[in-house]
Amino acid sequence: MEEERKFSDICGGRLALQRRYYSPSCREFCLSCPRLSLRSLTAVTCTVWLAAYGLFTLCENSMILSAAIFITLLGLLGYLHFVKIDQETLLIIDSLGIQMTSSYASGKETTTFIEMNKVKDVVINEAIYMQKVIYYLCILLKDPVEPHEISQVVPVFQSSKPRLDCLIEVYRSCQEILAHEKATSRSP
Amino acid sequence: PLWALRKGPSMVLKAFFPTCCASADSGLLVGRWVPEQSSAVVLAVVHFPFIPIQVKELLAQVQQASRVGVAVLGTWCHCQQKPEESLGRFLEGLGAVFPHDPWLQLCRERGSKFWSCKATHRQVPAAPGAASEDQVMLIFYDQRKVLLSQLHPPAALPDHQAGDASASTGGLAAIFDTVARSESLFRSDRFDEGPVRLSHWQSEGVEASILVELAKRASGPVCLLLACLLSLVSAASACRVFKLWPLSFLGSKLSTCEQLRHRLEQLTLIFSTQKATDPTELMRKANMLVSVLLDVALGLVLLSWLHRKNRLGQLADALVPVADHVAEQLQHLLQWLMGAPAGLKMNRALDQVLGRFFLYHIHLWISYIHLMSPFIERILWHVGLSACLGLTVALSILWDIIALLTFHIYCFYVYGARLYCLKVYGLSSLWRLFRGKKWNVLRQRVDSCSYDLDQLFIGTLLFTILVFLLPTTALYYLVFTLLRLLVVAVQGLIHLLVDMVNSLPLYSLGLRLCRPYRLAGKWCAGRPARVGPSALGLPGVGSLNAGRGRRH
């Protein structure tokens, strides 16, 4: 079953959280970030071209204008391919593991997969950044040598940065699955 | 407590299914059952019709060859419409022929996205009323990528963890391992004439290209021939003549000989008739081969550039004037030093002596260059030819030429340094005398000593003389050291380029860009498993959507 709700991120942008419950042991959370706004794109393009025109009036070399167009295009492509993340997905499967997928605006997808036996817990941490207190969801990984110690903290939803209310939803579902997994691994 | 009320065994059964078999015809599922994680890894599909004895024979053969416990896991049904009852019972009946627990039954309608998965346990469960069916989770994996990716075994963990480690670092590594080791299963195909027809990743088209196959066939004799030639060359270069003093000294100083030796070693390694024992060695060989090929290619480009528009001739013509110009500049520099450089007051006599000494050297040098000038073009032509051996050899020769052309700067530096060194020693020893101390060679320390009056007098005199001559020598030393540093910097840059071409692992870089799953993934227990891009087809777990349809 699928559900969609609207949340907002820490900067005030609109986020859409889609929850899919495939089964009691498998859930998926999909956060869609706000798209590239036409306003910011126009602003950046205008600044770059104004700067190029200024240089052109100084140097009288028309190569500057073509170079500016080139740079804008390449910059936009690079931004869409390497920087702008459209959607972040978290897939938890009980006995298998946790998978995080980021899909970029150009269609590129990067996935990270963490096996379930390496996951210690999923928690919400708070971080103080300049004048803000930010909450973020993170996965704690076990240390192979010391099973009770934490070797790494992997933050989730790093680009979409949802607020606490959204995180609490995801956190609850994750905890249900982790509890289920612990129960099944303990029972014979 | 909540989950204990659920029916059936609590662990979900995971079935790893290769994406290439999703469109295969109905048949039996063949693979490995991993009980610790309750997962079934499907490796191939055996098509109807088959004789059970032959299937069992084939599996026994594969098991012996690869030491992977391959067995028949269940049935796969891919048919036009909903399967009839008789087919259903036939498939269940097959469970009696191939005893395996649990028995997996996967079914898919042609053209539909819905799958049905069922896993039944044969043994009667202990608790009455509990169902004998499991929940099945279907995971698609790209067989080709999983087969071709190689994982390092995890680093040796401390002993007391050894027992747990094998169970916990198993997991996905065991799946990868199973697929990778069962290569012998993938040798026969459904298009082969054998008794058993299999479908797996090779059924989509056996991966091969004519060129690669030909290259593989030809590589044996070619390697042998080249290995013989190279051994001849190394034997020739190891003969006694080269060990005698002048040649061995030259050989160690010239960078060309060094580079040639290095290349010879590398080529011997590449063309040795032994096969590489492990992936790292293979990678090293491949890197060396690619770097040699790139080197030769760049060398040929350089050669073609040099011969176009007679650039070589122009270079040869320009060489002597350049050397003249450098010598002239040096003469100007010495004249400046002999005057009052930067307003410093130098000792006139010493200045003149040193200046004239160095000027004479430069004069000698210019005459030698002029003697050599008719032969320069011929020499350069031969040197340019050596670029065929590689760009690195050409750069090494350039390094040597620069070293030879700036030999006079090197000589000046040595003279200046020696003089300065002597002066500093003299000064330090006389300074000790000035203070009434002495260096005790036996005890390696400074001791006090009582000198005679005449010793003290002469010592002090010499000390003052040396002190006042110090600025002159120091200045000469400084100037020539700076010049030498400049030359060394240029030579260092050339060496850097040569080293870069020599040691850049281009094959690994190319493999990383084009086929990342081919490179050994670093599987350290404790790091989040960055298993190659969708190597497990985990984005294909999203196709659990499709399997959602009917589950018993």
Side-chain angles (χ1 to χ4, degrees), chain B residues 255-256 259-260 263 266 290-306 383-400 493-502 504 506:
Chain B
S255 147
T256 319
Q259 180 63 20
L260 282 172
R263 274 283 178 245
Q266 282 188 334
V290 172
S291 95
V292 166
L293 287 174
L294 180 74
D295 200 14
V296 170
L298 284 175
L300 289 173
V301 166
L302 180 69
L303 198 62
S304 74
W305 180 82
L306 276 179
V383 159
L385 213 55
S386 73
C388 284
L389 290 170
L391 184 70
T392 44
V393 178
L395 282 175
S396 313
I397 294 192
L398 181 68
W399 191 97
D400 287 332
L493 263 166
I494 296 181
H495 246 148
L496 194 71
L497 263 170
V498 170
D499 279 338
M500 212 165 65
V501 178
N502 264 345
L504 209 58
L506 287 165

Side-chain angles (χ1 to χ4, degrees), chain A residues 3 32 66 100-101 140 184:
Chain A
E3 259 180 49
S32 322
S66 2
M100 290 148 341
T101 315
L140 302 176
T184 53

Side-chain angles (χ1 to χ4, degrees), chain B residues 4-70:
Chain B
L5 293 175
R6 274 168 53 81
K7 293 191 227 161
S10 29
M11 228 175 157
V12 173
L13 192 146
K14 295 180 283 218
F16 289 86
F17 196 76
T19 39
C20 45
C21 293
S23 50
D25 289 330
S26 318
L28 286 178
L29 293 171
V30 158
R32 182 181 168 212
W33 167 250
V34 183
E36 300 94 40
Q37 298 142 50
S38 174
S39 38
V41 184
V42 175
L43 292 170
V45 174
V46 175
H47 294 295
F48 301 121
F50 56 83
I51 304 176
I53 303 282
Q54 287 175 336
V55 172
K56 288 186 186 169
E57 258 177 35
L58 174 74
L59 291 179
Q61 267 176 22
V62 170
Q63 197 155 350
Q64 208 184 23
S66 60
R67 284 172 296 128
V68 172
V70 187

Side-chain angles (χ1 to χ4, degrees), chain A:
Chain A
M1 54 177 162
E2 284 190 28
E3 259 180 49
E4 180 158 340
R5 280 183 60 182
K6 298 261 184 283
F7 290 97
S8 64
D9 69 9
I10 56 177
C11 305
R14 302 276 302 268
L15 291 176
L17 175 71
Q18 237 189 1
R19 282 182 305 187
R20 296 198 195 109
Y21 284 7
Y22 292 119
S23 85
S25 58
C26 172
R27 292 189 196 170
E28 190 175 15
F29 303 97
C30 190
L31 262 182
S32 322
C33 307
R35 295 204 176 255
L36 183 64
S37 71
L38 196 57
R39 201 185 302 170
S40 59
L41 181 63
T42 329
V44 171
T45 319
C46 284
T47 2
V48 171
W49 285 0
L50 277 174
Y53 192 69
L55 270 177
F56 171 67
T57 43
L58 278 173
C59 304
E60 304 289 336
N61 187 0
S62 63
M63 283 291 284
I64 297 183
L65 295 176
S66 2
I69 296 180
F70 230 20
I71 290 174
T72 325
L73 276 175
L74 284 176
L76 182 66
L77 283 175
Y79 177 70
L80 290 179
H81 192 72
F82 294 112
V83 178
K84 179 89 186 72
I85 292 187
D86 245 355
Q87 231 185 42
E88 287 189 303
T89 314
L90 183 73
L91 174 69
I92 298 196
I93 302 178
D94 185 354
S95 43
L96 207 56
I98 305 182
Q99 174 173 274
M100 290 148 341
T101 315
S102 312
S103 26
Y104 291 80
S106 64
K108 174 173 101 158
E109 274 188 14
T110 51
T111 44
T112 312
F113 175 74
I114 304 177
E115 270 194 280
M116 201 40 110
N117 57 14
K118 291 197 174 66
V119 171
K120 186 156 197 284
D121 205 358
V122 172
V123 296
I124 297 184
N125 244 351
E126 54 181 29
I128 302 182
Y129 178 69
M130 301 247 256
Q131 82 287 10
K132 289 198 269 223
V133 175
I134 305 176
Y135 293 95
Y136 62 98
L137 189 73
C138 54
I139 305 175
L140 302 176
L141 299 182
K142 287 186 200 154
D143 198 26
V145 181
E146 280 288 323
H148 297 291
E149 296 218 347
I150 299 167
S151 77
Q152 220 179 352
V153 173
V154 180
V156 186
F157 298 138
Q158 273 186 299
S159 327
S160 31
K161 300 198 192 74
R163 285 200 177 159
L164 192 58
D165 44 4
C166 177
L167 289 178
I168 289 180
E169 292 280 339
V170 181
Y171 172 77
R172 277 208 197 106
S173 304
C174 291
Q175 286 296 330
E176 278 172 21
I177 295 195
L178 284 179
H180 179 216
E181 194 258 332
K182 284 198 175 60
T184 53
S185 61
R186 241 181 282 128
S187 58

